Amino acid sequence: MKQKTVIMDENAMKRAVTRIAYEILEQNKGAESLCIVGVLSRGVYLAKRIAEKIYELEGTGAEFGELDITPHRDDIKKASTLDRTQIDFDINDKVVVLVDDVIYTGRSIRAAIDALIARGRPKRIQLAVLIDRGHREVPIRPDYVGKNLPTSHEEKVKVMVKEMDSCDSVSIFIPD
């Protein structure tokens, strides 16, 4: 795969995270009963940034957790999958904002919803994504989007975060 173009640099990602945080607060009228849950792996880092921005804006924090969807995926055999979820709070009757880096077919988010429901009954589940590629196979639509990015099926979208990749960026890659 070779890089076709950079879609977002560090500053664009910061602006998108800030905008998403504002939209979450506006939609939910503050941070009360709000939980931010990132989908492993890059969704966790984006979720943490959103949660930090909400704290900065509201002076009160939303609860934060990490969700491993691997045991709930329909494309992975169930043999000995370790669940790395870290949600150390009750999600019952809370507004849970799932955060992921990219939404494409929607299957990962379907698995995330299954994983969340297995842990309790939230009042509401909302979805925030940095990039929406389109091409859904299941009827799932994000509530908060950093950038809509129509792509072909052959293209790959790569989100890089400093915590894992030593830089923040979003790029499109194409086959060689």
Side-chain angles (χ1 to χ4, degrees):
M1 298 292 275
K2 68 178 185 175
Q3 186 174 14
K4 177 180 174 184
T5 187
V6 175
I7 301 301
M8 296 176 95
D9 62 10
E10 180 177 354
N11 289 330
M13 284 178 66
K14 264 186 208 171
R15 286 190 301 272
V17 165
T18 298
R19 187 177 64 254
I20 289 169
Y22 273 106
E23 289 175 2
I24 289 168
L25 289 171
E26 185 176 313
Q27 180 70 30
N28 293 290
K29 297 173 178 52
E32 189 176 327
S33 299
L34 197 61
C35 306
I36 309 295
V37 176
V39 177
L40 286 171
S41 60
R42 286 172 178 80
V44 168
Y45 300 110
L46 295 169
K48 190 172 187 83
R49 294 176 191 187
I50 291 169
E52 288 169 354
K53 182 55 77 173
I54 286 172
Y55 181 79
E56 178 184 315
L57 296 169
E58 289 288 295
T60 182
E63 294 181 282
F64 172 77
E66 302 178 8
L67 186 65
D68 183 2
I69 65 169
T70 308
H72 296 272
R73 291 181 54 143
D74 60 8
D75 61 342
I76 296 177
K77 293 203 188 291
K78 302 291 189 244
S80 72
T81 54
L82 174 68
D83 187 352
R84 299 172 293 155
T85 295
Q86 292 183 350
I87 298 178
D88 302 325
F89 50 87
D90 185 12
I91 65 168
N92 289 301
D93 296 319
K94 302 272 179 79
V95 176
V96 178
V97 180
L98 279 173
V99 180
D100 206 359
D101 56 349
V102 178
I103 186 168
Y104 181 39
T105 63
R107 291 183 179 278
S108 293
I109 297 304
R110 187 223 32 96
I113 292 168
D114 288 349
L116 213 54
I117 298 292
R119 287 170 171 72
R121 186 177 169 87
K123 178 179 181 180
R124 188 174 327 127
I125 299 172
Q126 298 174 345
L127 175 60
V129 297
L130 184 63
I131 302 293
D132 183 349
R133 289 186 62 180
H135 303 289
R136 275 332 159 265
E137 294 176 5
V138 294
I140 292 176
R141 178 185 52 82
D143 300 283
Y144 313 103
V145 177
K147 185 168 189 67
N148 286 295
L149 184 62
T151 59
S152 72
H153 289 287
E154 293 76 35
E155 293 173 318
K156 301 292 180 210
V157 174
K158 175 73 173 166
V159 173
M160 298 178 76
V161 293
K162 282 182 182 176
E163 298 86 345
M164 291 180 73
D165 309 300
S166 72
C167 72
D168 284 341
S169 70
V170 178
S171 298
I172 294 179
F173 287 81
I174 55 175
D176 289 335

